[in-house]
């Protein structure tokens, strides 16, 4: 991106390529965002207590059966955007894999005893 001077941005004339009122541009600042450890812990506790919503259970079933694309479509319909849907699909897939590993460990412990 090239740097424009004030005269290149607007001429103050009504017509033409650089038409418009001359104004000074305001520099936008980026807001730093980060996920703190306590917030992540709180979200994990809430998820453990409340469980999954009905549409999340359906997404989990689709993931179990290998229907990732169908899970993504359902999540997109419910959440509105593709990015949120991808994030939700990954979150539910991660939860399901963790539960599956815990279940397999419990079965292995039973067999030992």
């Amino acid at each position: 991106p090239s740097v424009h001077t004030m005269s290149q941005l607007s001429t103050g004339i009504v017509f033409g390529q650089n038409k418009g009122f001359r104004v000074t541009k305001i520099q936008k600042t980026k807001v730093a965002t980060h996920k703190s450890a306590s917030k992540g812990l709180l979200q994990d506790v809430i998820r453990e207590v409340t469980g999954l919503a009905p549409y999340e259970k359906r997404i989990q079933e689709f993931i179990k059966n290998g229907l990732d694309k169908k899970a993504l479509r359902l999540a997109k319909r419910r959440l509105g955007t593709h990015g949120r849907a991808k994030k939700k699909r990954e979150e539910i897939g991660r939860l399901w894999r963790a539960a599956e590993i815990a279940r397999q460990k419990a079965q292995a412990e039973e067999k030992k005893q």
Side-chain angles (χ1 to χ4, degrees), residues 29-36 39 87:
T29 57
K30 287 192 175 185
V31 178
T33 59
H34 66 282
K35 188 175 181 180
S36 65
K39 185 176 180 182
K87 189 175 176 182

Side-chain angles (χ1 to χ4, degrees), residues 39-113:
K39 185 176 180 182
L41 177 65
L42 183 64
Q43 287 176 340
D44 290 343
V45 170
I46 290 170
R47 170 64 75 189
E48 190 175 326
V49 171
T50 59
L52 297 175
Y55 83 95
E56 291 174 332
K57 289 178 184 174
R58 284 183 63 201
I59 292 171
Q60 189 176 37
E61 284 299 316
F62 288 143
I63 291 171
K64 282 181 190 177
N65 296 324
L67 301 170
D68 287 352
K69 190 171 183 179
K70 200 164 190 171
L72 183 67
R73 272 187 281 163
L74 173 63
K76 187 175 183 300
R77 234 182 12 250
R78 297 291 177 168
L79 298 172
T81 67
H82 186 70
R84 288 176 184 170
K86 284 178 13 182
K87 189 175 176 182
K88 180 64 75 173
R89 182 181 63 175
E90 288 303 313
E91 177 192 353
I92 292 173
R94 203 172 355 96
L95 289 171
W96 176 71
R97 283 188 292 277
E100 195 65 23
I101 289 169
R103 188 182 61 78
Q104 288 174 356
K105 282 184 181 178
Q107 283 181 347
E109 289 294 321
E110 277 185 21
K111 286 181 181 179
K112 285 182 181 179
Q113 294 174 359

